[in-house]
């Protein structure tokens, strides 16, 4: 264990000695990363509200902050009356976090520990932590997520009646129409300085786009495909750099709300702090205020025409490759049911089947 209250610089690795395995955590040492996180006020304010407006949960409690970054959630917890806060962070930003905590006069409450949560000794007995706090979500919920670390911390240190904040997540899917934006992303490659770079287009279609989508672009209803309860769900498999394993698989049903083209699908998620006095929610929905997570857009290789009330039924699968959920594969299998009129007036099949793979990755 590296306890930075004992030696602030102990265990801090200079960047010139970092290996490829350290890159993920080193990426979180850049100040711009944390500036962007802190400027995502919609998200930070929800965490502040969930912690500081529920002092009855934190008063005289032992709190574990998984992936503390600059220590902002630890500071909120100390402000809410926690007896002890253990701030764990694997990247070099832990050095700045320690200084921030000291400068704000909370070093008597908050103790920083450098290391990956699965590999450190946080200095307390097992099953003795009252609350785990973590900003564990990532793009498309899973990519760059700390969920596995939170589940490990839960099984190792959380009391049987302990709490996780936030503890629930809900992931949704819908079909979207945005031909102009899709075309812009694809046609860009057709003429660059007079050269045709069209072979790049398939990469555009296989890589999810993290961006905001207009509510008006939504063609169908939203279907919930995932509900995670971090208090109860089992841990995932133990991944290695080479392994590829299924995280979750779920069916979905969508119904067209109008006649329109479908150029892709969008994913968004809601997060719930269900253990607060009044449940608190944080949403990345197109209908909510924009957050740093935005939405995840999956462009289709072949556009689809839908008529009002036409159905799409399918299955979405999430697979992870490598540690830290850096590499995420999303597989869409779906069918579009033919309308009654099209079946009566043509020899077209009763349904069209599609399968497409998408890859979201951090270098």
């Amino acid at each position: 264990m590296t306890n930075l209250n004992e030696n602030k610089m102990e265990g801090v690795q200079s960047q010139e000695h970092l290996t490829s395995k350290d890159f993920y955590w080193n990426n979180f040492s850049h100040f711009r990363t944390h500036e962007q996180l802190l400027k995502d006020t919609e998200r930070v304010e929800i965490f502040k509200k969930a912690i500081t407006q529920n002092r009855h949960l934190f008063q005289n409690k032992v709190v574990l902050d998984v992936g503390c970054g600059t220590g902002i959630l630890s500071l909120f917890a100390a402000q809410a009356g926690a007896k002890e806060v253990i701030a764990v962070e694997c990247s070099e930003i832990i050095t700045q976090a320690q200084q921030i905590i000291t400068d704000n006069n909370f070093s008597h409450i908050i103790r920083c520990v450098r290391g990956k949560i699965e590999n450190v000794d946080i200095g307390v007995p097992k099953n003795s932590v009252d609350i785990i706090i973590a900003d564990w979500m990532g793009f498309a919920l899973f990519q760059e997520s700390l969920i596995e670390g939170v589940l490990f911390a839960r099984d190792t240190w959380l009391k049987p009646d302990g709490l996780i904040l936030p503890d629930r997540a809900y992931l949704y899917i819908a079909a979207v129409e945005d031909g102009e934006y899709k075309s812009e992303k694809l046609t860009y490659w057709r003429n660059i300085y007079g050269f045709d770079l069209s072979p790049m287009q398939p990469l555009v279609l296989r890589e999810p786009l993290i961006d905001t989508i207009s509510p008006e672009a939504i063609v169908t209803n939203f279907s919930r495909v995932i509900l995670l309860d971090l208090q109860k769900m089992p841990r995932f498999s133990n991944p290695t750099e080479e392994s590829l394993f299924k995280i979750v698989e779920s069916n979905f049903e969508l119904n067209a709300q109008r006649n329109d083209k479908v150029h892709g699908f969008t994913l968004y998620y809601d997060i719930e702090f269900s253990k607060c006095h009044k449940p608190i929610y944080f949403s990345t929905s197109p209908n909510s205020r924009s957050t740093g997570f935005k939405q995840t857009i999956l462009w289709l290789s072949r556009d689809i025409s839908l008529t009002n009330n036409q159905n799409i039924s399918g299955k979405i699968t999430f697979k992870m490759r490598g540690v830290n959920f850096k590499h995420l594969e999303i597989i869409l299998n779906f069918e579009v049911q033919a309308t009654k009129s099209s079946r009566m007036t043509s020899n077209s099949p009763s349904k069209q089947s599609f399968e497409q793979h998408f890859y979201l990755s951090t270098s």
Side-chain angles (χ1 to χ4, degrees), residues 187-198:
T187 57
Y188 166 77
W189 297 99
R190 293 178 184 169
N191 187 345
I192 298 180
Y193 297 104
F195 299 104
D196 184 356
L197 273 64
S198 295

Side-chain angles (χ1 to χ4, degrees), residues 255-270:
N255 182 260
Q257 308 295 294
R258 63 177 186 260
N259 299 337
D260 216 330
K261 288 275 190 180
V262 171
H263 298 101
F265 292 86
T266 188
L267 303 172
Y268 85 89
Y269 58 86
D270 292 339

Side-chain angles (χ1 to χ4, degrees), residues 93-162:
I93 204 69
I94 191 70
T95 305
Q96 282 69 37
Q98 174 65 70
Q99 191 60 54
I100 290 167
I101 289 161
T102 300
D103 291 350
N104 285 274
N105 302 313
F106 281 108
S107 59
H108 62 295
I109 297 175
I110 305 173
R111 176 165 53 86
C112 291
V113 177
R114 167 74 189 272
K116 195 167 182 283
I117 189 67
E118 293 90 339
N119 301 330
V120 297
D121 175 5
I122 65 172
V124 297
K126 291 188 175 183
N127 307 121
S128 64
V129 167
D130 297 291
I131 301 175
I132 293 174
I133 54 175
D135 187 357
W136 57 265
M137 305 79 67
F139 297 112
L141 187 59
F142 292 111
Q143 203 258 338
E144 289 194 341
S145 169
L146 292 175
I147 185 172
E148 177 65 11
V150 172
L151 297 179
F152 174 87
R154 177 201 66 186
D155 293 348
T156 307
W157 291 293
L158 193 65
K159 290 180 178 178
D161 60 347

Side-chain angles (χ1 to χ4, degrees), residues 2 22 25 39 63 83 113 145 149 157 174 182 194 217 222 236 247 268 289 294 298 304 323 331 346-347 357 359:
T2 300
D22 299 311
W25 299 111
K39 284 183 175 178
V63 177
K83 176 177 64 178
V113 177
S145 169
W157 291 293
K182 180 181 178 181
F222 277 100
F236 299 109
I247 298 175
Y268 85 89
R289 291 179 60 181
K294 302 180 181 179
L298 311 173
I304 302 167
V323 297
I331 305 170
S346 71
N347 294 322
H357 294 238
Y359 303 89

Side-chain angles (χ1 to χ4, degrees), residues 30-297:
H30 298 309
F31 83 90
R32 290 185 185 88
T33 300
H34 296 280
E35 181 180 6
Q36 292 170 356
L37 289 171
L38 292 170
K39 284 183 175 178
D40 189 359
T41 54
E42 191 72 12
R43 191 186 87 260
V44 177
E45 287 289 340
I46 288 293
F47 272 94
K48 181 182 179 183
K49 180 179 179 181
I51 295 171
T52 60
Q53 293 187 14
N54 288 275
R55 296 178 64 90
H56 65 287
L57 298 178
F58 287 84
Q59 199 71 37
N60 296 316
K61 301 296 185 180
V62 176
V63 177
L64 174 59
D65 183 355
V66 177
C68 69
T70 56
I72 189 67
L73 301 188
S74 293
L75 291 167
F76 290 154
Q79 198 175 53
K83 176 177 64 178
E84 180 183 8
V85 181
I86 306 157
V88 179
E89 172 61 45
C90 198
S91 77
E92 294 177 40
I93 204 69
I94 191 70
T95 305
Q96 282 69 37
Q98 174 65 70
Q99 191 60 54
I100 290 167
I101 289 161
T102 300
D103 291 350
N104 285 274
N105 302 313
F106 281 108
S107 59
H108 62 295
I109 297 175
I110 305 173
R111 176 165 53 86
C112 291
V113 177
R114 167 74 189 272
K116 195 167 182 283
I117 189 67
E118 293 90 339
N119 301 330
V120 297
D121 175 5
I122 65 172
V124 297
K126 291 188 175 183
N127 307 121
S128 64
V129 167
D130 297 291
I131 301 175
I132 293 174
I133 54 175
D135 187 357
W136 57 265
M137 305 79 67
F139 297 112
L141 187 59
F142 292 111
Q143 203 258 338
E144 289 194 341
S145 169
L146 292 175
I147 185 172
E148 177 65 11
V150 172
L151 297 179
F152 174 87
R154 177 201 66 186
D155 293 348
T156 307
W157 291 293
L158 193 65
K159 290 180 178 178
D161 60 347
L163 306 179
I164 300 175
L165 299 178
D167 59 316
R168 292 181 183 171
Y170 310 84
L171 184 69
Y172 299 86
I173 189 171
V176 298
E177 180 283 320
D178 203 338
E180 184 176 351
Y181 194 18
K182 180 181 178 181
S183 177
E184 176 187 327
K185 293 295 182 182
L186 290 173
T187 57
Y188 166 77
W189 297 99
R190 293 178 184 169
N191 187 345
I192 298 180
Y193 297 104
F195 299 104
D196 184 356
L197 273 64
S198 295
M200 295 294 292
Q201 290 178 339
L203 300 183
V204 176
L205 294 174
R206 66 184 286 186
E207 183 174 333
L209 176 66
I210 306 300
D211 207 342
T212 55
I213 194 98
S214 168
E216 288 72 30
I218 307 301
V219 177
T220 66
N221 62 303
F222 277 100
S223 175
R224 191 177 77 189
V225 291
I226 293 175
L227 191 168
L228 299 181
D229 186 339
L230 272 64
Q231 297 279 165
K232 300 176 181 178
M233 65 179 288
R235 289 182 60 198
F236 299 109
S237 304
N238 185 29
T240 66
E241 288 289 355
E242 294 77 26
S243 68
L244 177 67
F245 70 95
K246 182 169 62 179
I247 298 175
V248 68
E249 187 174 77
S250 180
N251 297 324
F252 63 87
E253 295 284 341
L254 300 174
N255 182 260
Q257 308 295 294
R258 63 177 186 260
N259 299 337
D260 216 330
K261 288 275 190 180
V262 171
H263 298 101
F265 292 86
T266 188
L267 303 172
Y268 85 89
Y269 58 86
D270 292 339
I271 297 298
E272 183 182 6
F273 299 78
S274 73
K275 307 303 181 183
C276 296
H277 176 62
K278 292 182 179 179
I280 294 174
Y281 294 88
F282 163 73
S283 181
T284 65
S285 165
N287 295 304
S288 300
R289 291 179 60 181
S290 180
T291 74
F293 293 115
K294 302 180 181 179
Q295 290 89 46
T296 302
I297 304 169

Side-chain angles (χ1 to χ4, degrees), residues 225 249-252 313-317 331-335:
V225 291
E249 187 174 77
S250 180
N251 297 324
F252 63 87
S313 58
K315 178 176 66 177
I316 186 168
T317 304
I331 305 170
L332 271 180
N333 292 276
F334 63 95
E335 297 176 343

